[in-house]
Amino acid sequence: MKLGIFTDPHYSSAELTCGRRYNSRSLAKIEAALARFAAEKCDLVVCLGDLIDREPTHEAEATNLAALARVFDTAGLPAAVVRGNHDAFSLSKEDFYRILGSSRYPADRVFEDKTLIFLDACHFASGRPYAPGDTDWTDTFLPDTDGLRARLSAVPGEAIVLMHQNIDPNIRADHSLKNAAEVREILEQSRKVRLVLQGHYHPGTENIHNGILYRAFPAMCERNDAVFISEV
Ligand SMILES: [Fe+2]
């Protein structure tokens, strides 16, 4: 299965935020990435979160997301977009996928003998989900670990796990799920996971831990070459 991957475009009208995020350039970068994925005949496009960033109004955020939806529509490739903490800060989950297109909701997908399992850690450690204007990038958590166990036990072959926030033990704790150790243990015990794909940690990194490769992709908003094609 050939995946076209990018993460953390943080698209907004701002030219530069945080000294290194070139937010407004991401629309053109995504257009170029999708054209390349189409030329390379990718089976699925995956965005690992923080597709958009904040604007002064929700109307402006919705307009930006609608512009991105048109870019995806034009490319015509199937896509799965995971929500990141910045997406959750701007728009509710319902509004996000209504505007972006419900086909881009990251439902689990089966390709031949592999199953893609998408996790949503846009929750506080209390279990409460993030809401517009009410998020904390250092407080992230996967509440339904029993559900994850059940999803993995139903997978016939190999599972690939995809998420915005991090469970790689080598990534700083403030970027990681509060229950990262528990989630890693569930993946290890399933014996079905050898690859975890993540965003959120903008420099990007790779690490093998207990037989699982954790790959965090560099943020598109900070680089001009953060477009990846991965045969998994
Ligand atoms: Fe981000």
Side-chain angles (χ1 to χ4, degrees), residues 40-98:
E40 301 261 355
K41 299 193 176 4
C42 289
D43 297 301
L44 180 71
V45 175
V46 173
C47 170
L48 290 167
D50 285 354
L51 180 61
I52 57 171
D53 210 320
R54 73 170 74 178
E55 293 279 1
T57 66
H58 286 309
E59 288 71 23
E61 290 158 351
T63 299
N64 292 343
L65 187 56
L68 290 167
R70 286 193 295 277
V71 169
F72 278 101
D73 289 344
T74 303
L77 286 171
V81 177
V82 180
R83 278 189 329 144
N85 48 299
H86 284 266
D87 304 310
F89 184 89
S90 293
L91 296 167
S92 70
K93 188 176 187 175
E94 292 70 28
D95 283 345
F96 186 81
Y97 290 108
R98 179 179 52 75

Side-chain angles (χ1 to χ4, degrees), residues 8 10 50 86 164 200 202:
D8 294 80
H10 287 251
D50 285 354
H86 284 266
H164 178 64
H200 195 49
H202 283 203

Side-chain angles (χ1 to χ4, degrees), residues 2-228:
K2 203 185 233 189
L3 298 180
I5 302 168
F6 64 91
T7 190
D8 294 80
H10 287 251
Y11 176 56
S12 76
S13 62
E15 195 180 328
L16 181 65
T17 58
C18 300
R20 57 190 182 279
R21 297 179 184 171
Y22 294 90
N23 306 73
S24 59
R25 297 182 190 175
S26 282
L27 184 80
K29 288 181 186 174
I30 292 171
E31 253 172 343
L34 294 176
R36 189 174 145 207
F37 296 154
E40 301 261 355
K41 299 193 176 4
C42 289
D43 297 301
L44 180 71
V45 175
V46 173
C47 170
L48 290 167
D50 285 354
L51 180 61
I52 57 171
D53 210 320
R54 73 170 74 178
E55 293 279 1
T57 66
H58 286 309
E59 288 71 23
E61 290 158 351
T63 299
N64 292 343
L65 187 56
L68 290 167
R70 286 193 295 277
V71 169
F72 278 101
D73 289 344
T74 303
L77 286 171
V81 177
V82 180
R83 278 189 329 144
N85 48 299
H86 284 266
D87 304 310
F89 184 89
S90 293
L91 296 167
S92 70
K93 188 176 187 175
E94 292 70 28
D95 283 345
F96 186 81
Y97 290 108
R98 179 179 52 75
I99 296 166
L100 183 61
S102 58
S103 70
R104 293 168 191 132
Y105 178 82
D108 293 353
R109 285 166 163 80
V110 182
F111 277 90
E112 294 162 4
D113 59 339
K114 296 199 173 89
T115 302
L116 303 184
I117 292 192
F118 294 89
L119 303 184
D120 178 2
C122 286
H123 299 261
F124 298 98
S126 65
R128 190 166 58 85
Y130 290 173
D134 184 21
T135 66
D136 179 351
W137 70 272
T138 66
D139 185 357
T140 174
F141 183 75
L142 185 76
D144 188 13
T145 47
D146 286 341
L148 173 59
R149 244 182 234 104
R151 283 156 81 188
L152 282 167
S153 71
V155 167
E158 187 183 325
I160 297 166
V161 172
L162 306 95
M163 60 200 300
H164 178 64
Q165 292 93 343
N166 307 112
I167 55 171
D168 176 349
N170 276 16
I171 290 180
R172 281 164 37 187
D174 57 1
H175 283 68
S176 299
L177 273 60
K178 296 290 187 194
N179 59 342
E182 181 194 4
V183 174
R184 282 197 305 271
E185 198 178 324
I186 291 169
L187 304 189
E188 290 166 16
Q189 285 175 351
S190 78
R191 298 176 176 277
K192 294 177 179 174
V193 180
R194 58 171 184 81
L195 180 62
V196 176
L197 306 178
Q198 309 156 106
H200 195 49
Y201 181 64
H202 283 203
T205 187
E206 276 187 30
N207 176 40
I208 295 176
H209 179 78
N210 290 349
I212 298 176
L213 171 61
Y214 294 88
R215 193 167 175 201
F217 293 90
M220 177 179 262
C221 62
E222 297 190 18
R223 294 169 52 152
N224 289 324
D225 59 350
V227 172
F228 305 91

